[in-house]
Amino acid sequence: GEDVEQSLFLSVREGDSSVINCTYTDSSSTYLYWYKQEPGAGLQLLTYIFSNMDMKQDQRLTVLLNKKDKHLSLRIADTQTGDSAIYFCAESPSNYGQNFVFGPGTRLSVLP
Amino acid sequence: DTGVSQDPRHKITKRGQNVTFRCDPISEHNRLYWYRQTLGQGPEFLTYFQNEAQLEKSRLLSDRFSAERPKGSFSTLEIQRTEQGDSAMYLCASSLGYWASSLGDEQFFGPGTRLTVL
């Protein structure tokens, strides 16, 4: 079945860039997502990318997709303490349903 | 409307008891989803509704689990004869059901119901 992997922890200093990596196995994935989860709050969709794109930029966020290697990354520029959270990569061929698969999440800690 | 709400936020029960959770989606949203999240893992899809119709069920959803969305608005998730392995956060999400913005058919998540089975 589909599998999504992420490193579990990342620490960066405030003001540095953070890069969170994700690998997936389903070659039919059309949509690839990044979600943020803060303590006590629901998951929040940050951005997504179509599988036919290589890069997407949205303010401080840059998503890079290497479809050949099935590797997705999220770069957060000028990381702030408010960016501390768990970041989930997810992939789906259809934008919803049972094939909407999340990774285990990367806990980002931003040190002052 | 301030978003997806779930009730209760926390539930502690004894093994073998039945529990029911409620989800109130964003009012104009046609699709409603249930996920389960265990500690250190990402959410796992359980089931989803298009209006009142339950269109997909994960193989994770055993016969002890049942979900309803009787009028196409709020939904309930019932677990019968709870087991310790059912302990998890149960997340509900809703979406419009069509591409509406630059974020597509975005799923908006509620805060979850944390279930502890003793």
Side-chain angles (χ1 to χ4, degrees), chain B residues 72-112:
Chain B
S73 56
F74 74 91
S75 175
T76 57
L77 177 68
E78 182 184 16
I79 308 174
Q80 296 183 325
R81 304 181 304 282
T82 52
E83 301 172 358
Q84 287 182 323
D86 297 331
S87 295
M89 178 77 84
Y90 289 84
L91 300 173
C92 176
S94 69
S95 72
L96 282 165
Y98 58 87
W99 202 274
S101 72
S102 62
L103 287 175
D105 184 21
E106 180 181 355
Q107 294 186 30
F108 291 82
F109 283 80

Side-chain angles (χ1 to χ4, degrees), chain A residues 35-85:
Chain A
Y35 281 82
K36 178 181 180 182
Q37 186 176 40
E38 296 178 277
L43 276 80
Q44 176 194 359
L45 178 63
L46 291 177
T47 187
Y48 75 94
I49 190 168
F50 285 118
S51 60
N52 61 358
M53 299 166 66
D54 297 325
M55 186 182 88
K56 183 176 182 182
Q57 188 154 3
D58 184 2
Q59 299 182 337
R60 292 191 299 122
L61 304 179
T62 304
V63 179
L64 294 177
L65 174 62
N66 181 328
K67 193 175 179 183
K68 173 176 168 290
D69 294 338
K70 299 191 182 72
H71 181 267
L72 183 72
S73 68
L74 174 70
R75 179 176 179 270
I76 306 173
D78 186 25
T79 313
Q80 302 297 306
T81 54
D83 296 323
S84 293

